[in-house]
Each structure stands twice: as structure tokens, then as C-alpha cells.
Amino acid sequence: EPEVTQTPSHQVTQMGQEVILRCVPISNHLYFYWYRQILGQKVEFLVSFYNNEISEKSEIFDDQFSVERPDGSNFTLKIRSTKLEDSAMYFCASSEPTGVGGYTFGSGTRLTVV
Amino acid sequence: GQNIDQPTEMTATEGAIVQINCTYQTSGFNGLFWYQQHAGEAPTFLSYNVLDGLEEKGRFSSFLSRSKGYSYLLLKELQMKDSASYLCAVRRISGSARQLTFGSGTQLTVLP
């Protein structure tokens, strides 16, 4: 079964450092997303991406965050200057336009900012 | 804005049936999803309703009433491995934007 792949699975970084989280969505999907989940809290929407541009972003997705699809397969989330409160599990997801098959989530990157 | 409510916790016995309710308020509604999430893992898609009625998929069924802003997930013949958090999520469409918003999840514990 096709899957969304995320790397790395764990990342520890110092406060103020830049991190890039990587994702390879399912190949025939057209919509890509980043979500985050702080430990013990709900899954929160960050950003959606379609046709090589951001289609929607949440209040969480401020100027410290950016997304990019540098080639035909990768989809990245960059946090420019990490803060302690950025520590969370970050999930990438992709979907077909109809959403009939649901949004498929990657296994996540656990980011710890120290 | 969007508002999604579901119970925080539920407990049931192995072999039993459990119903997890979800109510929502949103504009641009375009589907309600149920996901299962084990601790430390990614959400896994269970079901999707866009029209009113019941969708059945093996031991899992999901129901939607758009006029009432209400859905439920029904789990039959509960197994220990069904102990997990069950997430209700609403999709909203606005132009090319598609956003899936999650509720806080219902932690289901299945007892022997």
C-alpha cells in the first residue's frame, strides 16, 4: 500500500537553530499538508499546499515556518529559528482531491528543541 | 471558525460494541473523517462520510447527519488492540484550500 515517508523520525535541535523536516508524499496525490501534535494535545493543522503554492495556513504557521516542494517528490517544512514550544510530533500528509481515500499521514518526525 | 466535540475518554469490554459520538460546527463542510491513533504513532484513516447515512467497513461503521452536525463511529466485537485514541475530523473546502480539522480525540480503553 502506498505510504507517506518522513525523515528523520527524531530530531533534537538547540533553540534558535533551523530545522528542515522532509516528506515524500504518495506519488499521485496532489494536496500536501503539515500537521503538528504537541505531546498530549490534539493534531493541529499547519499548512496545506497545492499546485506549488500554499493554499491555506493556520495562525500557528507564522513567519518562522516555510514549506517547499523542491522537486517532484519531496515536500519540506522549515522552521527558521526554533523555540522550545516548537517541540512536537510533526506529521506530513497527502490526499487525492476527492479525499475519498482519506488523508494519508506519514509516521511523523518527533522534534525536540532544547 | 470550527468547533468539534467528542468525549475525552470511554471504556468498554472486549467483545462489546461501543459508539463514539462527535458533534461539529463548521462552514464549507465537505466530509467527516474518523482516524485511529495509537500513542506515539500517526493517525490511521478509518472512514469517511460526506453524505448522510451509515458507512460500514468490517467491524467499523460511521454515521453522519449533516443537518444535526453529528457523527458517530461504531466499533463492534471489540478487541484489545482497539484501545487507542479515535479522532473525529472535519474537512472544509474553500477554493483550492482543503483543511482537515481534528477534534481532541476520544481515548478508548478496551478491558478484558
Side-chain angles (χ1 to χ4, degrees):
Chain A
E1 181 154 343
E3 56 182 30
V4 175
T5 306
Q6 286 187 246
T7 55
S9 56
H10 293 85
Q11 174 127 18
V12 180
T13 189
Q14 288 199 320
M15 194 169 55
Q17 294 296 303
E18 174 184 287
V19 293
I20 297 176
L21 310 183
R22 303 182 190 279
C23 170
V24 179
I26 293 173
S27 60
N28 63 345
H29 284 185
L30 300 179
Y31 291 85
F32 315 118
Y33 312 87
W34 283 101
Y35 285 80
R36 80 170 185 191
Q37 188 174 31
I38 295 170
L39 188 64
Q41 298 187 23
K42 68 178 181 179
V43 177
E44 299 175 290
F45 169 76
L46 292 177
V47 66
S48 61
F49 192 87
Y50 171 73
N51 199 26
N52 286 319
E53 61 182 21
I54 291 174
S55 49
E56 192 165 12
K57 59 184 180 180
S58 71
E59 293 174 352
I60 303 168
F61 195 89
D62 60 22
D63 292 343
Q64 293 298 314
F65 292 88
S66 62
V67 289
E68 197 176 40
R69 189 155 163 81
D71 53 44
S73 59
N74 290 283
F75 179 51
T76 62
L77 174 70
K78 182 192 290 187
I79 309 175
R80 264 181 269 281
S81 178
T82 50
K83 304 187 282 284
L84 294 177
E85 53 265 38
D86 293 328
S87 294
M89 183 76 101
Y90 287 81
F91 293 110
C92 174
S94 67
S95 72
E96 302 173 60
T98 62
V100 172
Y103 291 40
T104 302
F105 283 78
S107 54
T109 294
R110 182 167 295 286
L111 177 66
T112 303
V113 182
V114 296
Chain B
Q2 293 178 288
N3 196 35
I4 302 171
D5 288 313
Q6 51 181 129
T8 306
E9 296 177 323
M10 297 184 73
T11 303
T13 306
E14 195 175 13
I17 299 172
V18 70
Q19 177 174 313
I20 303 174
N21 296 323
C22 172
T23 58
Y24 65 89
Q25 293 173 309
T26 187
S27 57
F29 175 82
N30 191 263
L32 189 137
F33 294 73
W34 284 96
Y35 281 81
Q36 181 191 63
Q37 187 180 31
H38 286 100
E41 297 182 11
T44 304
F45 172 74
L46 291 178
S47 69
Y48 163 69
N49 296 70
V50 67
L51 300 175
D52 292 351
L54 189 68
E55 292 282 341
E56 296 189 79
K57 208 174 178 182
R59 294 190 299 116
F60 298 85
S61 305
S62 58
F63 172 83
L64 176 66
S65 167
R66 288 171 296 170
S67 62
K68 295 181 180 176
Y70 167 70
S71 173
Y72 67 72
L73 178 70
L74 195 71
L75 293 80
K76 303 174 191 173
E77 301 168 17
L78 281 173
Q79 302 174 7
M80 299 296 289
K81 67 178 183 180
D82 296 329
S83 291
S85 185
Y86 290 85
L87 314 180
C88 173
V90 171
R91 184 172 69 174
R92 181 173 58 82
I93 286 183
S94 176
S96 65
R98 276 124 177 86
Q99 182 181 140
L100 194 64
T101 301
F102 285 85
S104 298
T106 298
Q107 184 64 45
L108 174 67
T109 302
V110 180
L111 302 173

